[in-house]
Amino acid sequence: MQLEGKTAVISGGLGDIGRAIGLELGGRGAAIAICDLKSEEQARPFLVDLKSKGISARYDQVDVSDPDAVNTWLDDVTNSLGIPELIIPNAAVVSLVTVRELTPEQWKRELNINLDGAFFMAQSAAKRMIASGLKGRIVFIGSWVGFTPQTHIPAYCVSKAGIRMLTKVLALDLAPFGILVNEVAPGNVDAGLSARIFEMNPEWRERNLKRVPILEMSEAHEVAYQVAHLCDPANRQMTGSVLLMDGGLSLMSGPNPDMTD
Ligand SMILES: NC(=O)c1ccc[n+]([C@@H]2O[C@H](COP(=O)([O-])OP(=O)(O)OC[C@H]3O[C@@H](n4cnc5c(N)ncnc54)[C@H](O)[C@@H]3O)[C@@H](O)[C@H]2O)c1
């Protein structure tokens, strides 16, 4: 299998997209290490699912905004499954609040988890790969909103814009070591963060769907498929790239007036 012998680490790995990525990379032969804020007990059904498919897997409760905790997690993963060489910083949170109402605490929390957490994980993993000569892959989970402002989720937009530049600076810095760094940028996925926002505001779902040029939202497994594409050993030239998969949403520039009220 394509990813046999490799270990993948996925933050926010119990979320909808994180689980889909675990299944996709695991299905291609990688051992899977996931972390999340949730308890071991909450993780158990997913671990059982992975293991029933013959996938080696472990779960750790880790807050990615704590750099020491991230380091310790990667130490533990290295000791049990081997040095991680497929690095997927995926954990994120979002607050629905305009930039006028955003509190310093909300701002810091989103930047800490979505951007700082992704950096801590990528940096720590990159050092390990360099030290052992592994030519791994880092695939950040960004978003179309990293370059299209949305007035209802300002801190999230800024965090994803940061992911975009983090992808580029890391890609350039790590290229001589053979480590490729890219970003998958989904549009609205019918899962996770968006699905919960649509549950809270059911009328937004239909309005938003009409705004997607292809008139369809993507599903979590489609994001996972693109992550796997960027992890494919045959994909040797893409680095510093954004794999945009937003059904054309970003072609419709500007904020969505329907989602600000
Ligand atoms: N759902 C969408 O429409 C969509 C669109 C574009 C991008 N994304 C991105 O996809 C990724 C996954 O999001 P999702 O939609 O599956 O959401 P989700 O809420 O289902 O998953 C996110 C996971 O991250 C975990 N998490 C939160 N804070 C954490 C922390 N400090 N440390 C460790 N884990 C933490 C959560 O517990 C959760 O399990 C995110 O990066 C998100 O920005 C999602």
Side-chain angles (χ1 to χ4, degrees), residues 75-203:
D75 281 343
D76 293 343
V77 172
T78 299
N79 291 335
S80 65
L81 297 177
I83 301 165
E85 53 184 308
L86 305 174
I87 318 303
I88 323 295
N90 164 74
V93 291
V94 64
S95 314
L96 275 180
V97 54
T98 68
V99 75
R100 283 164 284 123
E101 303 296 329
L102 188 68
T103 65
E105 288 69 33
Q106 287 171 320
W107 170 264
K108 281 187 206 158
R109 177 169 176 263
E110 277 176 65
L111 272 289
N112 279 344
I113 296 172
N114 303 4
L115 183 57
D116 301 355
F119 164 66
F120 298 145
M121 184 174 165
Q123 187 198 44
S124 180
K127 285 180 181 172
R128 290 158 202 270
M129 289 191 278
I130 292 168
S132 54
L134 283 173
K135 298 181 175 184
R137 305 292 174 91
I138 301 174
V139 182
F140 291 104
I141 309 302
S143 169
W144 75 289
V145 305
F147 50 85
T148 309
Q150 303 294 311
T151 52
H152 63 303
I153 47 172
Y156 182 82
C157 292
V158 173
S159 72
K160 294 299 182 181
I163 289 287
R164 179 127 321 150
M165 185 50 76
L166 181 59
T167 301
K168 292 183 185 190
V169 293
L170 266 179
L172 191 56
D173 191 63
L174 298 179
F177 303 100
I179 300 170
L180 306 186
V181 186
N182 293 290
E183 172 193 342
V184 171
N188 290 324
V189 186
D190 199 3
L193 299 176
S194 289
R196 284 198 299 281
I197 291 175
F198 291 138
E199 266 164 36
M200 288 188 284
N201 306 278
E203 71 285 5

Side-chain angles (χ1 to χ4, degrees), residues 184-255:
V184 171
N188 290 324
V189 186
D190 199 3
L193 299 176
S194 289
R196 284 198 299 281
I197 291 175
F198 291 138
E199 266 164 36
M200 288 188 284
N201 306 278
E203 71 285 5
W204 285 6
R205 171 183 281 274
E206 279 312 305
R207 280 198 238 158
N208 209 54
L209 193 52
K210 283 193 197 127
R211 203 165 166 260
V212 185
I214 67 161
L215 299 171
E216 278 181 43
M217 282 196 270
S218 67
E219 294 182 17
H221 69 86
E222 296 176 86
V223 179
Y225 178 81
Q226 297 303 342
V227 171
H229 169 63
L230 290 170
C231 290
D232 184 337
N235 192 353
R236 299 189 314 120
Q237 284 293 318
M238 282 177 80
T239 196
S241 299
V242 180
L243 198 159
L244 178 65
M245 46 167 302
D246 68 351
L249 255 177
S250 53
L251 303 174
M252 317 283 284
S253 63

